[in-house]
Amino acid sequence: MSLAPDRRWQRFTDTDYRCPCCGKAVQGVLDVGYDHPDAWPHASYRRTGGTVTVGQDRLTQDLCSMGDRLYLRGLLTLPIQNTDVSFAFGPWAEVPAETFQAYRAAFGTDAEAALGARQARLANALPGFPGSVGLALTIRFSGGSDRPQFAVQPPADLSAAQRDRISFDQLLDIYATFGQDLRPHLGEP
């Protein structure tokens, strides 16, 4: 089965489509990133225009240290059912000091790929997946400009979603939780 016959999907992926009632353009699949781990108590780096340093706590767009807690940002990809398209969250993972130091030293280079797979914990609540903060992850590093890839370990629902794919309606639900309810602009299937 393909989503191709679904009129909502057609409108969603058509770069020229505009909602007939309001003129809203729909951009297709856009990833959702997080500015910081949920536990971060200070301002976002986006609000301050760059690195945030408060005492010993430090946040950049890719790394975060908060006391003895260390984080890095990556991608958690969810393939969409009946398509060859994927959606990705850009959440943070809490990592051990050894992983943090190794990643920081190899960051943005081909040496990053040699870090292999590392264990971590998801540091953001993801809409549609209750209890996602703290889920066990495997991080795979690829190097260069690619963000690390997060794979949720079973038996979590989020792990099943990575394996079995999410529906188009689940994707629309995720966007709605971020204040972008596209359903009224896409019409009927």
Side-chain angles (χ1 to χ4, degrees):
M1 174 135 193
S2 166
L3 274 179
D6 186 327
R7 297 286 298 149
R8 296 171 310 149
W9 180 255
Q10 292 170 12
R11 294 176 190 121
F12 181 77
T13 56
D14 179 354
T15 56
D16 294 326
Y17 174 76
R18 297 221 181 265
C19 177
C21 69
C22 68
K24 180 177 180 65
V26 179
Q27 305 294 314
V29 177
L30 297 174
D31 298 339
V32 174
Y34 289 78
D35 288 344
H36 49 77
D38 285 356
W40 178 255
H42 312 294
S44 162
Y45 69 88
R46 288 190 184 165
R47 290 193 190 120
T48 61
T51 299
V52 177
T53 303
V54 179
Q56 296 298 314
D57 296 349
R58 181 176 169 93
L59 173 70
T60 69
Q61 66 180 349
D62 296 294
L63 297 168
C64 177
S65 59
M66 189 174 54
D68 61 351
R69 299 179 76 182
L70 303 168
Y71 305 87
L72 59 88
R73 198 166 114 188
L75 290 175
L76 195 151
T77 304
L78 299 172
I80 302 168
Q81 292 172 0
N82 304 313
T83 73
D84 59 356
V85 179
S86 292
F87 162 78
F89 285 111
W92 293 80
E94 186 167 3
V95 296
E98 175 188 327
T99 299
F100 185 85
Q101 300 304 337
Y103 179 62
R104 188 168 69 178
F107 182 76
T109 70
D110 291 337
E112 199 180 297
L115 297 176
R118 305 281 179 113
Q119 302 306 304
R121 295 269 173 198
L122 189 59
N124 293 102
L126 304 183
F129 301 97
S132 50
V133 170
L135 287 177
L137 301 174
T138 300
I139 301 176
R140 292 197 181 354
F141 298 92
S142 43
S145 62
D146 294 335
R147 289 199 183 280
Q149 296 290 317
F150 297 168
V152 178
Q153 296 176 7
D157 290 344
L158 191 51
S159 173
Q162 281 189 300
R163 180 191 66 235
D164 300 335
R165 302 175 168 260
I166 61 171
S167 70
F168 180 45
D169 287 309
Q170 286 174 298
L171 176 65
L172 294 175
D173 290 343
I174 290 168
Y175 287 143
T177 64
F178 286 99
Q180 295 295 319
D181 191 354
L182 301 174
R183 292 171 289 213
H185 305 286
L186 296 174
E188 296 296 317

